Amino acid sequence: YSWRVYSGTIDENTILLLHGDGFEDASPNAHAVQNTGVTLSNVKTKFSGTAFSFDGSSWMKFILDEIKWAEDFTLDFWIYHTSAAISYPTPFSLSYPANYYRGYYVHHDWWKNCSIACNTKTTSISNAYTKDKWFHFAYVKSGTTISVYHDGTLVGTLDISSGVSDTSAVNLIIGAMSQYGSPVSDTAILGYMNEIRLSNVARYTANFTPQTEPYNMNFVEFCASNDANAYPDRATHTDG
């Protein structure tokens, strides 16, 4: 019999990491959050004991110097919508503060479609989600393409070859759409979010299996056998 201890890590490409168990940025950057009405709730959670709860008039805002328009990025998260009452609930918006059209955003309309936009370019993805269920989304900017992965499967792309190329710092708003760097109230989501991670690389280039544990968590496992094959290394399943 033995105990095994596994430890995940946060790599140098992790710019922002929010588990949902508090409002502290778990990345080395420790960004300060400007929180408007978001709370922690244990009603619906994916991994930890709590999740971020959005009531249709709440959001979080971060000012990020590490992400530039001309660079690649990945934003991935778990989301649980609870209502279709808002026409364009927007899980996130990455925007250049001075210009409404200069930025990326995504919204899920009440027809259960997902739309992604960059400047004036937009594409829609049909039947990308339903309410009252956890889904994983990853938005990956690689070169001049934004790819959307739904539960690890590529469901749509957007060509942004004539999109933004600015090197300015950006605003990240979680839970609503951004206009001139500030949230648009009628796009605020109703539901929950867990494990929100922003990276400065294109992490996914093909279909993948979403993580099954929180990023950067330690595991202690009791092994009832000394047979290593009977207890495969769980650390290989820790992404982050």
Side-chain angles (χ1 to χ4, degrees):
Y1 300 96
S2 63
W3 290 95
R4 295 183 181 181
V5 179
Y6 308 99
S7 179
T9 60
I10 298 175
D11 62 28
E12 66 276 9
N13 300 121
T14 303
I15 301 304
L16 178 74
L17 179 59
L18 304 167
H19 293 301
D21 56 357
F23 294 96
E24 297 78 17
D25 174 13
S27 82
N29 300 297
H31 293 100
V33 59
Q34 300 175 33
N35 180 24
T36 301
V38 179
T39 60
L40 302 178
S41 172
N42 61 6
V43 175
K44 297 291 181 183
T45 65
K46 183 61 183 177
F47 298 126
S48 60
T50 58
F52 295 117
S53 177
F54 299 82
D55 64 3
S57 61
S58 56
W59 49 74
M60 295 183 287
K61 179 179 178 180
F62 298 87
I63 299 175
L64 308 172
D65 294 323
E66 299 86 359
I67 295 290
K68 311 300 181 185
W69 290 126
E71 300 171 354
D72 294 345
F73 71 81
T74 301
L75 182 64
D76 61 293
F77 53 85
W78 288 91
I79 189 166
Y80 187 108
H81 286 281
T82 58
S83 174
I86 298 174
S87 295
Y88 299 103
T90 304
F92 79 89
S93 178
L94 275 166
S95 68
Y96 174 60
N99 193 320
Y100 172 73
Y101 290 109
R102 180 173 286 177
Y104 308 98
Y105 67 88
V106 57
H107 69 252
H108 303 284
D109 67 36
W110 75 292
W111 290 108
K112 304 177 184 179
N113 298 323
C114 168
S115 294
I116 54 174
C118 173
N119 278 356
T120 57
K121 290 189 171 185
T122 304
T123 187
S124 294
I125 304 160
S126 297
N127 299 319
Y129 86 103
T130 58
K131 68 183 185 73
D132 300 326
K133 183 179 179 180
W134 282 104
F135 290 105
H136 184 267
F137 281 95
Y139 296 84
V140 183
K141 178 184 178 291
S142 178
T144 59
T145 301
I146 298 179
S147 300
V148 183
Y149 293 87
H150 172 222
D151 284 345
T153 299
L154 179 66
V155 291
T157 60
L158 177 65
D159 176 16
I160 57 168
S161 54
S162 60
V164 295
S165 59
D166 203 292
T167 58
S168 303
V170 300
N171 285 344
L172 170 63
I173 292 179
I174 299 172
M177 189 186 299
S178 173
Q179 183 175 12
Y180 298 105
S182 298
V184 179
S185 60
D186 60 359
T187 65
I189 66 174
L190 282 162
Y192 306 91
M193 295 182 73
N194 261 140
E195 291 301 300
I196 304 167
R197 181 179 65 168
L198 179 64
S199 309
N200 63 0
V201 293
R203 287 194 181 272
Y204 307 114
T205 57
N207 292 347
F208 63 95
T209 301
Q211 89 272 22
T212 58
E213 305 284 353
Y215 297 122
N216 192 45
M217 300 300 287
N218 295 326
F219 306 105
V220 178
E221 186 176 79
F222 178 71
C223 300
S225 169
N226 289 323
D227 181 1
N229 293 323
Y231 297 90
D233 187 356
R234 285 185 63 185
T236 61
H237 300 292
T238 302
D239 187 4

